[in-house]
């Protein structure tokens, strides 16, 4: 309808519910890879022909600090988000000749519905954080707006981390196990999602609150 696509923000996300490797199932692993990583592939694959034809475009992969080792739970979530960073870096080289910028966001803990797990204490989460608060959706949105703007025309293949120095160390890491009590995972909040390759879409039926950054 508008004759092309200039900007793509891959922000579809699922969360792991605080599960460690020994507690996750293959189905849970596969689900997050499909939503977070395969979803990014599908949407990127759909818009690239338009950007290549125009010889211009901006792609932002909304990854996570978990992909950079800033957490010690949800290895399937971390792996899927690390894949988004790898995809961004590879595409940035492949698409530079078409003047298409591809960058990633390594978000810190952000106050979204997805992050509000049962038993999680925001007061505990902020202990030891240099900025004395968790991030807001507006913090992440501002970084995305910059990366897809012409001000970032010479920036590609990079990971921008709006995290208030939340690197998962110190007191916040120490309270993390208490923030994810046993049984707070998929039994409490379940999201059923399926990929539909022929349409290039991710369809989700929300039965909990695992949507957002």
């Amino acid at each position: 309808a508008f004759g092309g696509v200039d900007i793509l923000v891959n922000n579809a996300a699922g969360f792991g519910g605080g599960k460690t490797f020994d507690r996750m199932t293959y189905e849970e692993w596969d689900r997050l890879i499909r939503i977070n990583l395969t979803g990014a592939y599908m949407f990127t694959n759909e818009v690239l022909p338009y950007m290549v034809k125009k010889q211009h475009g901006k792609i932002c992969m909304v990854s996570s600090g978990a992909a950079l080792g800033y957490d010690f739970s949800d290895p399937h979530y971390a792996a899927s988000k690390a894949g988004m960073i790898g995809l961004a870096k590879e595409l940035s080289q492949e698409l530079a000749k078409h003047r298409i910028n591809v960058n990633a966001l390594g978000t810190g803990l952000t106050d979204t519905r997805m992050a509000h797990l049962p038993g999680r204490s925001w007061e505990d989460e902020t202990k030891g954080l240099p900025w004395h608060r968790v991030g807001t959706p507006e913090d992440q949105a501002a970084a995305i707006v910059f990366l897809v703007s012409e001000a970032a025309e010479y920036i590609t293949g990079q990971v921008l981390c709006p995290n208030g120095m939340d690197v998962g160390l110190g007191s916040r890491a120490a309270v993390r196990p208490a923030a994810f009590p046993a049984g707070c995972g998929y039994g409490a909040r379940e999201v059923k999602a399926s990929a539909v390759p022929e349409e290039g879409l991710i369809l989700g039926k929300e039965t909990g609150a695992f949507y957002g950054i």
Side-chain angles (χ1 to χ4, degrees):
F2 296 99
V5 178
D6 297 298
I7 296 169
L8 170 64
V9 179
N10 281 310
N11 187 42
F15 196 43
K19 289 200 172 181
T20 53
F21 189 84
D22 61 334
R23 291 178 58 210
M24 82 174 74
T25 65
Y26 169 77
E27 289 74 21
E28 291 165 345
W29 166 274
D30 183 60
R31 171 186 165 273
L32 283 196
I33 294 297
R34 286 191 293 114
I35 295 174
N36 296 348
L37 184 54
T38 305
Y41 159 79
M42 287 180 170
F43 281 101
T44 302
N45 190 54
E46 287 293 316
V47 307
L48 271 185
Y50 299 99
M51 293 182 174
V52 169
K53 181 178 180 180
K54 198 170 183 177
Q55 292 292 289
H56 179 270
K58 306 281 187 176
I59 299 175
C60 180
M61 306 281 186
V62 180
S63 180
S64 168
L68 305 173
Y70 296 167
D71 207 341
F72 65 80
S73 63
D74 292 327
H76 44 340
Y77 176 78
S80 66
K81 290 296 188 175
M84 294 180 73
I85 291 177
L87 181 60
K89 287 185 173 292
E90 288 296 317
L91 286 177
S92 69
Q93 299 181 64
E94 182 178 332
L95 300 175
K97 62 185 177 183
H98 300 296
R99 293 298 184 263
I100 299 173
N101 302 69
V102 189
N103 293 290
L105 213 64
T107 64
L109 178 63
T110 305
D111 187 2
T112 62
R113 286 194 303 150
M114 187 174 75
H116 283 265
L117 296 176
R120 183 171 228 170
S121 168
W122 289 107
E123 181 179 352
D124 287 341
E125 291 285 352
T126 57
K127 288 179 180 178
L129 292 182
W131 219 249
H132 302 295
R133 68 171 177 85
V134 298
T136 66
E138 290 77 13
D139 292 324
Q140 309 305 336
I144 293 170
V145 168
F146 167 68
L147 287 176
V148 300
S149 73
E150 291 307 308
E153 190 272 339
Y154 199 55
I155 299 174
T156 193
Q158 304 304 308
V159 182
L160 180 60
C161 298
N163 59 19
M165 279 305 294
D166 171 17
V167 294
L169 303 175
S171 59
R172 191 171 80 81
V175 302
R176 182 55 59 87
F180 296 111
C184 77
Y186 298 103
R189 300 196 176 194
E190 178 187 7
V191 177
K192 297 178 181 178
S194 59
V196 186
E198 62 272 18
E199 297 182 10
L201 298 173
I202 295 293
L203 302 179
K205 179 180 179 182
E206 183 179 5
T207 58
F210 287 137
Y211 287 93
I213 293 176

